[in-house]
Amino acid sequence: MKKRTLGFWEIWNMSFGFLGIQFGFALQGGFMSRIFQTLGAEKDAIPLLWIAAPLTGLLVQPIIGYLSDRTWHVKWGRRRPYFMIGAILSSIALFFVPYSPALWIAAGLLWILDASINVSMEPFRALVADKLPNSQRSYGFVMQTLIIGIGTWVASNLPWLVSQLGVSDSAPMGIVPMSVKIAFAIGAFVFLASILYTVFTTTEYPPEDMEEFKREKAKKNNFISDILNNIGSMPLTMKKLGVIQFFSWFAFFTMWSLANPALTEHVFQTPAPIESAYDMTISAQAQAFDIANTSFQKSSNLVGSAMGIYGLSSMAFALLLVFYTSKRNINRKYVHMASLMIGGLGFILMNYSSPENLKYCFVLVGFAWGSILSMPYAMLSSSVDPKKMGVIMGIFNMFIVIPQIIAALGGINFVSGLLGDEAINAMTVAGISLLIAGLCNLLITNKNAISYQAEEI
């Protein structure tokens, strides 16, 4: 099928739902560890509490990709029904996460939240490949990255902003502050509203051969064997991209799970108070705990705000790429390699940062984030069967979740432990991992993946 070239606002509309998805991911990534610490989690236990997130991605994304490939509704299309289901479930989970009365409930709600976000997110990747001609793929994925950057920056600053408006950061032991609760409620609303905007402003192409599509859908297929067959026949370029993805996502999972304990302790010198160290029946100790906890919560706001900068810089990076790729081709391999290495430098510099300069480290990290969210998908979509785009995108996300599972099961603690006991070593590990990911781009040799030159036929 010859797909028409889309204009800026058409690509914007089909990508806008990612604003809400990123509100969900940014609140989860920036503040779940803070919620876990508030509920009493030790910092070494935090990565394991995060295991719900990658595990749900490993299970959900291939399934949703497979199902969306085999879905067609005259009014709602192929991908949009999954946007809506995921948005409704994610919004509910986002609202209730900060009200968790116990650590196990917070971990369970994280499981539900991440599964629901994945239901919405995976079809969005496939929608770009469905709607855009090959020559606009980089443009489309970069547009998503632009919107993701906006969402990351705004959502990461929400608890700080709410606090600046007068909502308290103080709370009793084991209770999440009201500033965080309000921020998550705002995130829930934005998630649902932005997804609905895309659903009602975007149309989808029907299957090219409807009769063949119906025959294929009517066949009795074995989902597991189909997934395994697609994994077995994975293109070589996809495997090489998987190596890059492994080190990239190991780094970012390390940031999401351990940036708050690492930076509040090393940069702000306000670690989370340990409940067992205080006798709350003694007034002076109870007051000391409250002072230490409030300091930790305020520093956590500032860490979240600094982390939001990586969304802002990824947005600026994406904006430059949007303008460039709308008219010209780019060398995706070298853009991705340089971006990842700049991000790795940003993580390493956190060892030497002051609170005032921390934001500049995250500016560098944003270059890597902006590229991770666009270049691998643009390279992949130019080298796979378009009829299997949904399931291939779902399988490709295995290369995102497997490194996170390894990190959660002790990988981060083991590797950072080789450097010493300080929490900040986790950020050094993230930096080294991104540098390795950058160098792995030299493996990519497929010309279509590197830069699509041919005219669409």
Side-chain angles (χ1 to χ4, degrees):
M1 177 191 296
K2 182 175 175 61
K3 300 173 185 176
R4 68 182 180 85
T5 300
L6 300 188
F8 174 87
W9 288 112
E10 290 175 295
I11 298 176
W12 172 272
N13 289 343
M14 64 184 276
S15 303
F16 189 75
F18 244 114
L19 178 71
I21 290 174
Q22 198 54 36
F23 260 69
F25 270 130
L27 289 169
Q28 172 184 297
F31 303 103
M32 277 308 303
S33 291
R34 172 184 181 175
I35 291 172
F36 288 151
Q37 286 185 282
T38 299
L39 295 173
E42 300 284 345
K43 63 184 179 185
D44 288 343
I46 289 174
L48 188 59
L49 290 169
W50 270 85
I51 197 169
L55 273 179
T56 52
L58 182 65
L59 297 172
V60 170
Q61 292 197 12
I63 294 172
I64 295 301
Y66 179 86
L67 293 176
S68 68
D69 279 344
R70 298 167 59 80
T71 295
W72 178 254
H73 188 277
V74 174
K75 182 176 180 181
W76 300 111
R78 172 174 291 171
R79 314 296 180 185
R80 289 177 294 158
Y82 299 93
F83 300 168
M84 291 186 67
I85 293 169
I88 292 168
L89 295 175
S90 297
S91 298
I92 293 170
L94 267 176
F95 181 83
F96 285 107
V97 161
Y99 290 91
S100 301
L103 198 55
W104 69 269
I105 294 177
L109 283 171
L110 173 60
W111 195 296
I112 296 169
L113 174 61
D114 204 79
S116 304
I117 293 175
N118 276 296
V119 170
S120 286
M121 184 183 72
E122 194 285 329
F124 260 101
R125 298 295 189 194
L127 182 66
V128 169
D130 290 344
K131 292 274 291 179
L132 295 179
N134 216 332
S135 57
Q136 281 195 304
R137 296 267 174 88
S138 293
Y139 186 21
F141 285 116
V142 168
M143 180 71 81
Q144 283 190 352
T145 304
L146 172 64
I147 291 173
I148 287 169
I150 296 170
T152 300
W153 180 64
V154 175
S156 297
N157 279 283
L158 275 178
W160 172 84
L161 178 61
V162 171
S163 175
Q164 293 299 110
L165 293 175
V167 179
S168 177
D169 288 313
S170 299
M173 182 184 294
I175 302 296
V176 176
M178 183 56 67
S179 58
V180 177
K181 293 176 178 176
I182 292 176
F184 272 68
I186 294 170
F189 171 79
V190 172
F191 198 121
L192 185 59
S194 63
I195 291 285
L196 290 177
Y197 178 86
T198 286
V199 167
F200 290 114
T201 60
T202 301
T203 59
E204 297 184 63
Y205 289 120
E208 195 167 349
D209 186 333
M210 184 61 75
E211 293 304 316
E212 181 186 353
F213 175 81
K214 290 178 179 178
R215 285 194 297 270
E216 285 293 318
K217 188 175 179 180
K219 286 181 182 178
K220 290 185 177 180
N221 291 287
N222 187 314
F223 165 74
I224 295 176
S225 65
D226 280 357
I227 293 290
L228 292 176
N229 287 337
N230 280 292
I231 292 173
S233 59
M234 188 185 301
L236 181 59
T237 298
M238 185 172 172
K239 295 175 183 177
K240 292 177 179 179
L241 285 168
V243 177
I244 301 167
Q245 292 288 81
F246 180 91
F247 290 104
S248 300
W249 287 90
F250 189 97
F252 273 87
F253 182 84
T254 300
M255 181 190 75
W256 293 324
S257 60
L258 289 177
N260 197 71
L263 299 176
T264 52
E265 177 182 308
H266 181 78
V267 177
F268 290 91
Q269 302 293 309
T270 56
I274 300 171
E275 295 179 18
S276 59
Y278 296 85
D279 185 347
M280 302 303 286
T281 62
I282 301 175
S283 176
Q285 291 204 31
Q287 185 177 13
F289 174 86
D290 185 60
I291 292 171
N293 185 51
T294 300
S295 296
F296 165 71
Q297 298 292 351
K298 288 186 177 297
S299 294
S300 295
N301 283 348
L302 294 174
V303 168
S305 182
M307 285 179 70
I309 296 296
Y310 85 85
L312 194 62
S313 64
S314 72
M315 179 180 69
F317 176 66
L319 189 59
L320 290 174
L321 286 179
V322 163
F323 287 126
Y324 192 87
T325 57
S326 65
K327 302 293 183 183
R328 303 175 182 86
N329 291 304
I330 59 171
N331 189 307
R332 297 161 178 164
K333 176 170 85 170
Y334 289 122
V335 167
H336 197 40
M337 182 170 75
S339 301
L340 292 177
M341 298 185 81
I342 290 170
L345 179 63
F347 278 125
I348 291 170
L349 289 175
M350 291 177 189
N351 283 271
Y352 313 103
S353 178
S354 65
E356 295 77 22
N357 293 328
L358 185 61
K359 58 181 176 289
Y360 300 115
C361 297
F362 281 108
V363 167
L364 300 181
V365 171
F367 283 90
W369 184 237
S371 190
I372 284 170
L373 294 175
S374 54
M375 292 301 107
Y377 296 98
M379 287 190 271
L380 175 68
S381 65
S382 297
S383 55
V384 299
D385 181 355
K387 293 181 180 178
K388 298 181 178 179
M389 195 61 69
V391 70
I392 290 296
M393 287 291 181
I395 292 170
F396 187 59
N397 281 313
M398 291 171 59
F399 295 123
I400 293 175
V401 298
I402 289 173
Q404 295 182 63
I405 292 170
I406 292 171
L409 289 175
I412 297 174
N413 290 340
F414 174 76
V415 179
S416 62
L418 297 176
L419 303 177
D421 295 331
E422 296 83 3
I424 194 63
N425 290 330
M427 299 300 99
T428 303
V429 169
I432 294 170
S433 189
L434 275 188
L435 292 176
I436 295 171
L439 292 173
C440 287
N441 277 272
L442 296 174
L443 297 171
I444 305 298
T445 56
N446 182 298
K447 291 183 179 179
N448 268 2
I450 293 170
S451 180
Y452 185 80
Q453 301 289 346
E455 291 296 321
E456 188 76 1
I457 58 174

